[in-house]
Amino acid sequence: MLLPVTGVFAAVLGILMLVLSAYVVKFRLKYNKGMGVTDNPDFQAAVRAHGNLVEYAPIGLIMLGVAEMNGVASGLVYWTGMSLVVGRLLHAWGMINGHGEEHKARALGMVLTWLAMLAAAILLLWNVWQVHG
């Protein structure tokens, strides 16, 4: 089974992962810190932006992929995936530009991510209920 919709979102999130990884490596080289962080808030924010993506993207992509495989309408999978990707982009941007402090983009990114995960869960449950009663 092909997963063209989920595949696009996995690719975009994979690129974001590489960008955030490179940003963390920049700080690791600058501070000669192979593990952990310094007290530099920008370094801490970079690590957490990367870590947060690692924590949320996999389950979001798994749910999208299962929904797509189970025959959930591709438009619903697409808009749920867009919410996940935009949420992750906004969160990372807000973390980095807010230096780890409160930032509107960071908060909006989390809300969009949570909504995408909730929507994916509802789509999956609805699909299973429709197919298996």
Side-chain angles (χ1 to χ4, degrees):
M1 159 132 324
L2 299 176
L3 301 173
V5 177
T6 303
V8 169
F9 296 123
V12 172
L13 290 172
I15 291 167
L16 178 58
M17 179 78 64
L18 290 172
V19 169
L20 293 176
S21 295
Y23 195 59
V24 169
V25 167
K26 178 186 97 167
F27 283 106
R28 294 206 179 283
L29 293 172
K30 178 179 179 179
Y31 292 106
N32 195 27
K33 191 87 170 156
M35 191 165 126
V37 295
T38 65
D39 60 353
N40 180 292
D42 291 333
F43 189 3
Q44 294 172 6
V47 168
R48 282 312 308 143
H50 177 264
N52 202 271
L53 178 65
V54 170
E55 294 160 4
Y56 280 94
I59 189 66
L61 288 171
I62 289 168
M63 288 193 295
L64 288 175
V66 172
E68 191 171 7
M69 283 192 309
N70 284 358
V72 171
S74 61
L76 294 173
V77 175
Y78 173 82
W79 286 108
T80 303
M82 281 299 293
S83 179
L84 177 67
V85 167
V86 170
R88 295 292 75 214
L89 286 167
L90 283 171
H91 179 270
W93 191 81
M95 277 292 287
I96 290 166
N97 288 295
H99 311 284
E101 299 295 324
E102 290 184 28
H103 193 282
K104 288 181 183 178
R106 177 182 176 189
L108 180 58
M110 280 310 308
V111 169
L112 281 173
T113 299
W114 290 341
L115 288 174
M117 293 179 73
L118 178 61
I122 290 169
L123 288 171
L124 286 168
L125 291 170
W126 180 259
N127 178 263
V128 169
W129 185 73
Q130 290 292 315
V131 171
H132 299 288

